Structure formats: structure tokens, C-alpha cells
Amino acid sequence: MSVRILGKSVAHYVDEFDLSGVSNSAEIEASESPAEVTAFADTDATFVEGKYTFRFNIQGLLSSASPNYDGEMFIDLTSSQRRVGVYPGGGTAGNFGYEGRSNITRAPRVVDKGAVLALNVEWLGDQPLVRSQLMYLATAVSATVNGTKYQHGSVAAAETLVGVIRLLAAPGGAGSNDLVVTIQSDADSIAGGETTRLTFATINQASVALHEVVELAGAVTDTWWRAVVTITGAGTRTFSIVVAIGTRAT
């Protein structure tokens, strides 16, 4: 599978960073190349299913201002197991995309005389891509809210439910507040009867920009899903968060 996406309607995240506004293209390639196991006595060539790999390529321009694409790409991204998410339809709840755990493979600076300085970064992963869906996004959520239910589908016994939360910036406001996000499932879209499947760690006024991934082994027969944001405390803190779920083959 190879998908090339052009234009700034694409939303993409690297760990807790939203770099959508400073990139101009994204490319996703997933492959499972067959490996040859032919023996001398075999009449024909014989192959088995190879190791799954995927590749994300993000192209952007130098930007030392917020969100500091340059600094993030060439300083922080040297560490391993970065969580990359790409959403072709943009950063809107309900949109589908892809999430993957990856390592940076190359980050070339490309420039010709008289041209802009391009900063292109590529990540490579060796796990199946997660076909994900954005459950909830808010730039300044300050009160408890039940997110919209989406018919994301069931989780088979041979699959894993993956949840990702991103706190894009330190909380604004004043005082002390706790924020807890849970992922719930249900057999239908009617309110009531939901079951909590995933719970993320508590975020509070002392938190800095961060991300977290939680997982649950299948099977789950429910097909409707939502994110629930619970905020407690006497402060006036606001939180900028992105929540997504998806499934991947175990």
C-alpha cells in the first residue's frame, strides 16, 4: 500500500507535537515483502510472508517559530519509538488516518541556491500500521464532556485496540485541575450502556506537552466508540488534547 498526500488539509502528529501547519506533503507506504525460501530440490520458487514494515515521509520547510518544526525534527526526533499519526482528512473528530510506532531513518536538509530550505523527515516502523480514527480534539477543553460516538467497528480476538492521547501544550489558566480521558464502547449509538475499555493517565496543571499510548487485547464485539473527558478540581485550567483509537493485528 502506498499513499501520497499533498496539501495542508493533512493533519499529522509526532508524539505530542502537531506539525500540520508547517508541512506541505505526507507519504505513507506499507509493505509486507515476500521472503524466498526456495530449496534446491524445489521445482518452482517458494516464498513465505515477509516482515511487515511501513514508512512515513513528511516534507516541510524551516520554521524556528512555534511549533518549531526545525528544532523538533533535528533534536528530539533522534530518539526511538516515536508515535507518528497522519490524518489525510485533517484534524477533525471522526476522521480516519494511520498511527504507527517508528524510528527516524533520515532527516535531510535539502536546499538549492536561491530556494527555500526544505526539512524532510522519514520514519520507519516494523509493526503493522494502526488504522485509527480521531475521537476527540479540543484546544481549550475546561469541563467534563462525553465525546461523540463513532461506529469504529469491533476488535477481533487477533487484534489489539490502541488508544493515543496527545497533550499539545501545558495547561492554560490557573489553579489545580485533573483531566482523565477514557475510551468507552457500546453495541449501539444510544446513550447509556457504555463500557470503559481504556483509561489514560491523569493529566493536571503540572503536566507539560506529552503523549501516551494504551492498549487492550481483543476481542471486543461492540462497534460504537467514544472518548469521555472528565475534569475535576477548583481551578480554571484549559487543556489542548487530541485523542485517537485504532486497531492493529496482534
Side-chain angles (χ1 to χ4, degrees):
M1 178 190 76
S2 180
V3 180
R4 184 168 177 80
I5 308 158
L6 301 175
K8 292 199 173 186
S9 63
V10 179
H12 78 271
Y13 308 91
V14 179
D15 285 354
E16 65 272 24
F17 295 92
D18 181 0
L19 300 173
S20 307
V22 288
S23 62
N24 52 30
S25 75
E27 186 175 1
I28 305 170
E29 182 179 346
S31 61
E32 203 166 16
S33 302
E36 186 171 1
V37 292
T38 308
F40 286 117
D42 291 341
T43 303
D44 299 307
T46 305
F47 298 87
V48 296
E49 187 176 287
K51 181 68 175 176
Y52 187 97
T53 62
F54 68 83
R55 180 179 63 86
F56 285 138
N57 184 277
I58 307 295
Q59 299 186 13
L61 306 177
L62 183 144
S63 171
S64 58
S66 178
N68 194 3
Y69 180 76
D70 185 31
E72 174 61 12
M73 293 301 167
F74 292 97
I75 299 175
D76 295 337
L77 291 190
T78 56
S79 60
S80 62
Q81 308 302 319
R82 303 306 294 261
R83 178 66 58 167
V84 181
V86 177
Y87 294 87
T92 302
N95 283 352
F96 284 91
Y98 300 92
E99 294 271 353
R101 191 185 73 183
S102 62
N103 296 317
I104 191 169
T105 61
R106 62 189 179 97
R109 296 173 182 254
V110 180
V111 63
D112 296 321
K113 184 177 180 179
V116 296
L117 178 58
L119 304 179
N120 303 331
V121 184
E122 184 173 279
W123 294 269
L124 185 67
D126 59 2
Q127 285 189 344
L129 275 174
V130 176
R131 177 62 166 153
S132 55
Q133 187 174 19
L134 292 170
M135 289 284 106
Y136 184 81
L137 300 91
T139 57
V141 60
S142 60
T144 296
V145 61
N146 293 328
T148 301
K149 281 187 178 181
Y150 295 101
Q151 195 171 18
H152 185 78
S154 60
V155 182
E159 293 179 327
T160 297
L161 175 69
V162 179
V164 182
I165 186 171
R166 294 177 168 95
L167 176 65
L168 301 180
S176 299
N177 291 99
D178 288 345
L179 176 146
V180 176
V181 175
T182 58
I183 300 296
Q184 297 180 341
S185 69
D186 201 350
D188 53 48
S189 61
I190 301 172
E194 297 85 7
T195 301
T196 297
R197 302 294 182 179
L198 300 174
T199 301
F200 296 98
T202 301
I203 296 171
N204 59 30
Q205 68 281 348
S207 298
V208 296
L210 55 83
H211 81 286
E212 183 189 6
V213 181
V214 292
E215 298 184 351
L216 175 69
V220 179
T221 58
D222 290 345
T223 58
W224 290 83
W225 301 80
R226 72 177 183 181
V228 175
V229 179
T230 303
I231 296 180
T232 58
T236 59
R237 295 289 176 175
T238 61
F239 300 85
S240 179
I241 60 173
V242 177
V243 182
I245 66 167
T247 55
R248 73 157 192 268
T250 300

